[in-house]
Amino acid sequence: MHVMIIGGAGMVGGKLAARLAAKGTLAGKDIERLTLVDVIEANLPAGKPAAEAIVSDMSMPGEAERLVALRPDVIFHLAAIVSGEAEADFDKGYRINLDGTRFLFEAIRQEGLRDRYFPRVVFSSSIAVFGAPFPESIGDEFFTTPATSYGTQKAIGELLLSDYSRRGFFDGIGIRLPTICIRPGKPNKAASSFFSSILREPLAGQEAVLPVSEDIRHWFASPRAAVGFLEHAAEIDLKPLGHRRNLSMPGLSATVGEEIEALGRVAGDKAVKLIRREPDETIIRIVSGWAGRFDARRAEQLGFRAETSFDQIVRAHVEDELGGKV
Amino acid sequence: MHVMIIGGAGMVGGKLAARLAAKGTLAGKDIERLTLVDVIEANLPAGKPAAEAIVSDMSMPGEAERLVALRPDVIFHLAAIVSGEAEADFDKGYRINLDGTRFLFEAIRQEGLRDRYFPRVVFSSSIAVFGAPFPESIGDEFFTTPATSYGTQKAIGELLLSDYSRRGFFDGIGIRLPTICIRPGKPNKAASSFFSSILREPLAGQEAVLPVSEDIRHWFASPRAAVGFLEHAAEIDLKPLGHRRNLSMPGLSATVGEEIEALGRVAGDKAVKLIRREPDETIIRIVSGWAGRFDARRAEQLGFRAETSFDQIVRAHVEDELGGKV
C-alpha cells in the first residue's frame, strides 16, 4: 500500500512517518511506499518502506493533481497554517487551509472520475472549530462556532470532507486533535506554547515562564496519542459514522496546576522550582476562551484512546524525547 | 440608503422587493435605491424608490466586484441553486452556492480595504444545514451535519459569514429559513413541493397529490413570515450575537394531517376532498430525514416572529395570493 502524509515535515507528521516506517504496515497491509509532502523537504525516517519526500505547496494550481496522480491508498492531510499565522495573514490562511484542502479533495474526485479511485483520507482538524461560551463539557453534537479564522477553515474542511465522503468520492474521517502536550522542541510564539514549555524546559533542567494562573483548564493529548489517533483513523471501518465524519478526539482535561503536580511527581521539586510566574494579560485573555473539557464518546466507542493522567503525558515525553532520563 | 437583493428574481426575493418598495424605508431610513440582482432579469416592483434590475452571475470572475462597487448599504444574499439541482450537479452547486457566496464576501472585504465600507449582509441559509438523526426539537447549539451538498454549501456560507463579520469586514447575519409554505405558483419537482400543493391547489379548486402519510411532521413559515425575517434581520442590532451570527428562524411544527385540518377550517370539506393519496416511496424516504421541530429561542429573543397555527399560514396565502377569496 502507498501512504502519503501531507504536512510530513511537521512535528506530528514526522512522528507519524517514523511510526509507520518502523512498523511497516497499516490496516494489516504492508506499506510499500511512504511519501512525505510538505512545502519544505521532510526528513525521511529509517525503516522498511523506502520513504520519499516531495516538496509541494498544495494551494498552488496543479499541485494537488500532481500528488493525487500518484494514487496513494491512504492520505493523511495534516498540512496547515497555524492559528496565529492564519489570524495575522487572512489571505494566506484561507489559501493554504481552505483552498489547499478543497484542491486536494477535488483532485481526488477528478482522479476517480478518470479511473476508479477511492482512498482513505484522514484530515487533522482541531478543537478550534469550537468557540466560547462552552458548556461544562463539549459533547459530540455541540455546534461549531469558531472564534478564529483558523478554526473557521478547519470547520469548512470538515464539511467538505463529509460531503465528499457522502457522495462516495473518498472514504474520509476528520479528527479534532486536542492541544498536543508535551510538544518537543523550543518555545514558540503560539499562545499555547507555555502548556508544553512549563514541563519540557524544567525536565531538561531549564527555566520556563508561566503566563497564566494555575486554575486554567484545558484539553490535552501527547504527541504519541496524536499519532495513535491518526493510525487508528486510517485503520477502522468508517461506515458506522454515516455522514457524520468528524470526531472530537479523546484527551485529558487538566489544569495548569495538575500539570505542575505531575511534573513534581516525575521529576521532583527541583524541576517545579524552575517555573517562573510572569502573568501576561494577552495570553490570559486568549486562553480563557479555550475549551477545557470534552465528552468524546463517539471517538471512544470507535476505539480512539488518549492518556488518562498527566503523569502518563510527562512519562511519554521522557521516554520518547529524553531517552527515558530526567 | 441603497438596498441590494441578490436573488431578486426568486419568489422570496421578489416578495421582499415588493415589500421594501411599498414601505419605502428600512431600519428607519429612506430607501433611495433598490437593486435587484439575478441571473435573469428580475421584475421591478412598484413603489417609491426607483428599482433597477442587474443581470449577473456572481460566481463569474469580476461580477461580485462589479456589484459591490455600487456600495449598497444593505445586501440581501438570497441567490442559490436549490437542493435538488445542487445534488444532481455537484460542480454547479459548489460554484454558485459556495464560490458565489465567497466571491461576494471577499469583494466586500476588498472594497473596504480600498475605502471604508461596512454594509449589513443578510444571508438566507436553510434548515438543510442539519442532517438526521435529530433530537425531538433542534436547539440553537445543535451541530450542522448536512445530508446534502446544498446543506453543506449553506453551512460553509454560514461559517464564512461569521468569520468575515468577526474580522470586521461587514456586519453579517445568517438566517435559516423553515420550509416556505404556501409557495405560490405551480408544483415543481422538489421533494417538498407537496407541502404547498396540497393546500394551494385545493384553495384554487384543483386536485392535488399527497405522496406521504398524514403523520409526517415538518417545520414551516409563510412567504410573508420569510420576508418579515429578512426585513427584521436587516434592522436589528447584531452586536448581541457576538461571533455566533447564524440563527434558526422560528416556525411552525406541524404534521401533514394538521395542514389538511387547517385547509378544512378555512376552505371547507370540498377543498379537502381534492387531495388524492398516492404514496411515493422516494419522497417518503427523503422527507422522513427532514427536521420536524426547532427550539429557535435565540431568534425569538431577538424579535423574529413566525405563524403559530396553520390557519394563519393558509389565511396569509388567501390574503396575499388570492385577493382574500377562497
Side-chain angles (χ1 to χ4, degrees), chain A residues 87 90-91 94 99 102 109 131-133 140-143 145-149 152 159 163 166-167 243-244, chain B residues 87 90-91 94 99 102 109 131-133 140-143 145-149 152 159 163 166-167 243-244:
Chain A
E87 204 64 15
F90 186 84
D91 291 305
Y94 272 91
D99 293 330
R102 192 170 166 205
R109 173 175 167 249
D140 285 324
E141 302 191 342
F142 191 64
F143 68 163
T145 59
T148 59
S149 293
T152 302
L159 284 161
D163 200 39
R166 188 185 62 78
R167 301 286 292 240
H243 66 279
R244 295 178 169 179
Chain B
E87 204 64 15
F90 187 84
D91 290 305
Y94 273 91
D99 293 331
R102 192 170 167 205
R109 172 174 168 249
D140 285 323
E141 302 191 342
F142 191 65
F143 68 163
T145 59
T148 59
S149 293
T152 303
L159 283 162
D163 200 40
R166 189 185 60 80
R167 300 287 292 241
H243 66 278
R244 294 177 169 180

Side-chain angles (χ1 to χ4, degrees), chain B residues 218-278:
Chain B
H218 197 47
W219 186 243
F220 301 100
S222 71
R224 194 194 273 184
V227 167
F229 297 154
L230 291 163
E231 198 180 343
H232 192 63
E235 295 192 321
I236 57 172
D237 178 16
L238 299 182
K239 277 191 208 78
L241 293 182
H243 66 278
R244 294 177 169 180
R245 293 285 177 140
N246 300 287
L247 296 168
S248 298
M249 288 292 103
L252 175 69
S253 174
T255 63
V256 168
E258 287 162 8
E259 277 195 76
I260 296 172
E261 286 165 24
L263 175 67
R265 281 189 296 271
V266 176
D269 264 3
K270 213 175 63 177
V272 171
K273 285 190 180 130
L274 289 165
I275 300 173
R276 186 157 46 84
R277 269 100 183 140
E278 204 173 279

Side-chain angles (χ1 to χ4, degrees), chain A residues 1-9 13 16-17 20 26 31-38 42 49-56 58 63-79 104 107-108 117 119-123 230 234:
Chain A
M1 99 169 359
H2 178 191
V3 177
M4 180 178 279
I5 303 174
I6 301 170
L16 175 64
L20 296 179
L26 185 63
I31 302 172
E32 276 125 26
R33 194 171 173 190
L34 180 59
T35 310
L36 308 187
V37 179
D38 214 312
E52 71 181 302
I54 296 181
V55 175
S56 170
M58 213 164 52
E63 288 298 300
E65 289 81 350
R66 180 164 77 97
L67 299 175
V68 168
L70 303 174
R71 300 179 71 88
D73 303 288
V74 176
I75 300 174
F76 292 97
H77 174 27
L78 317 179
L104 172 65
I108 295 170
Y117 178 51
R120 170 69 51 103
V121 175
V122 180
F123 172 58
L230 291 163

Side-chain angles (χ1 to χ4, degrees), chain B residues 69-85:
Chain B
L70 303 174
R71 299 179 72 88
D73 302 289
V74 176
I75 299 174
F76 292 97
H77 174 27
L78 318 179
I81 292 296
V82 297
S83 186
E85 193 174 357

Side-chain angles (χ1 to χ4, degrees), chain A:
Chain A
M1 99 169 359
H2 178 191
V3 177
M4 180 178 279
I5 303 174
I6 301 170
M11 189 270 287
V12 173
K15 284 187 178 290
L16 175 64
R19 161 83 183 157
L20 296 179
K23 196 181 170 207
T25 61
L26 185 63
K29 288 185 194 148
D30 283 342
I31 302 172
E32 276 125 26
R33 194 171 173 190
L34 180 59
T35 310
L36 308 187
V37 179
D38 214 312
V39 292
I40 56 167
E41 193 164 334
N43 290 324
L44 297 181
K48 207 185 61 174
E52 71 181 302
I54 296 181
V55 175
S56 170
D57 176 350
M58 213 164 52
S59 71
M60 293 292 124
E63 288 298 300
E65 289 81 350
R66 180 164 77 97
L67 299 175
V68 168
L70 303 174
R71 300 179 71 88
D73 303 288
V74 176
I75 300 174
F76 292 97
H77 174 27
L78 317 179
I81 291 298
V82 298
S83 185
E85 193 174 359
E87 204 64 15
D89 190 337
F90 186 84
D91 291 305
K92 188 176 180 184
Y94 272 91
R95 182 166 55 76
I96 306 281
N97 295 348
L98 173 48
D99 293 330
T101 298
R102 192 170 166 205
F103 290 167
L104 172 65
F105 294 174
E106 185 57 21
I108 295 170
R109 173 175 167 249
Q110 293 299 334
E111 183 69 23
L113 291 176
R114 267 188 296 278
D115 188 9
R116 203 188 134 60
Y117 178 51
F118 189 65
R120 170 69 51 103
V121 175
V122 180
F123 172 58
S124 68
S125 187
S126 163
I127 55 175
V129 298
F130 300 105
F134 301 118
E136 172 74 25
S137 177
I138 299 177
D140 285 324
E141 302 191 342
F142 191 64
F143 68 163
T144 53
T145 59
T148 59
S149 293
Y150 172 82
T152 302
Q153 293 142 13
K154 286 292 185 186
I156 293 173
E158 288 189 359
L159 284 161
L160 291 171
L161 176 117
S162 278
D163 200 39
Y164 275 71
S165 295
R166 188 185 62 78
R167 301 286 292 240
F169 303 137
F170 56 68
D171 199 20
I173 176 170
I175 63 174
R176 298 182 191 124
L177 299 176
T179 287
I180 303 300
C181 187
I182 301 171
R183 242 178 201 285
K186 298 193 175 301
N188 61 31
K189 296 208 181 264
S192 60
S193 182
F194 74 89
F195 284 124
S196 283
S197 64
I198 59 167
L199 303 177
R200 184 185 56 223
E201 268 62 273
L203 283 169
Q206 291 161 19
E207 204 176 59
V209 172
L210 174 61
V212 305
S213 67
E214 293 200 7
D215 61 352
I216 286 289
R217 178 175 288 282
H218 196 46
W219 185 244
F220 301 100
S222 71
R224 196 194 273 183
V227 168
F229 296 153
L230 291 163
E231 199 181 341
H232 191 63
E235 296 192 320
I236 57 172
D237 178 17
L238 300 183
K239 279 192 206 78
L241 293 181
H243 66 279
R244 295 178 169 179
R245 294 282 176 142
N246 300 287
L247 296 168
S248 298
M249 287 293 105
L252 174 70
S253 175
T255 63
V256 169
E258 287 162 8
E259 276 195 76
I260 296 172
E261 285 164 26
L263 175 67
R265 281 191 295 272
V266 175
D269 264 5
K270 214 174 64 178
V272 172
K273 285 189 180 128
L274 288 165
I275 300 172
R276 189 157 45 82
R277 269 98 182 140
E278 205 171 276
D280 181 321
E281 288 307 320
T282 306
I283 293 180
I284 290 168
R285 188 172 37 75
I286 294 173
V287 170
S288 67
W290 289 357
R293 195 190 297 272
F294 286 75
D295 180 359
R297 211 170 299 179
R298 278 185 88 208
E300 283 163 13
Q301 282 165 355
L302 287 160
F304 289 93
R305 292 288 173 268
E307 287 83 10
T308 54
S309 79
F310 234 109
D311 296 49
Q312 292 174 315
I313 289 181
V314 175
R315 277 197 219 101
H317 179 79
V318 172
E319 287 167 20
D320 293 350
E321 306 294 334
L322 305 176
K325 284 178 222 149
V326 180

